Amino acid sequence: DIRLEPLVRAVLKELSPRQQAVFEAIDLRSESAAEVARQLGISPSTVRVLLMQARRAIRLRLIAQHSELLRDYPDELHQALVRIVEAD
């Protein structure tokens, strides 16, 4: 069984503080974009852009840093990535 959560959390540290905050709030704590925008004092559209950037960076870094997972567990990794980091 692939444990992607620790890998995603490690990659999170490489994101900008705003990208981290948005990703954690929306994808990990299920907060709404409007709520996150209000908390951070930014517009909902900026929240959506930051989320898209964070998800893309996470996907790319996971693939670059852990390409062996694609080779060893292609179907499982794909399913886990879809669940954790939805396609934009």
Side-chain angles (χ1 to χ4, degrees), residues 29-40:
R29 294 193 306 267
S30 301
E31 295 177 19
S32 71
E35 184 177 351
V36 174
R38 191 172 48 256
Q39 290 170 2
L40 297 178

Side-chain angles (χ1 to χ4, degrees), residues 4-17:
L4 279 183
E5 186 175 345
L7 300 178
V8 170
R9 289 199 180 276
V11 171
L12 270 175
K13 296 174 185 174
E14 300 174 23
L15 302 179
S16 74

Side-chain angles (χ1 to χ4, degrees), residues 5-80:
E5 186 175 345
L7 300 178
V8 170
R9 289 199 180 276
V11 171
L12 270 175
K13 296 174 185 174
E14 300 174 23
L15 302 179
S16 74
R18 289 174 102 190
Q19 289 173 335
Q20 287 178 34
V22 168
F23 181 84
E24 288 175 352
I26 293 176
D27 282 355
L28 301 182
R29 294 193 306 267
S30 301
E31 295 177 19
S32 71
E35 184 177 351
V36 174
R38 191 172 48 256
Q39 290 170 2
L40 297 178
I42 58 179
S43 71
S45 62
T46 300
V47 168
R48 289 189 292 275
V49 168
L50 289 166
L51 182 60
M52 178 193 63
Q53 291 171 342
R55 287 174 174 169
R56 182 175 291 130
I58 290 168
R59 278 196 302 273
L60 293 174
R61 287 183 179 127
L62 283 177
I63 290 168
Q65 294 174 5
H66 301 284
S67 61
E68 75 280 357
L69 295 175
L70 286 172
R71 183 189 67 241
D72 296 339
Y73 306 100
D75 294 335
E76 293 88 347
L77 180 62
H78 174 74
Q79 291 169 4

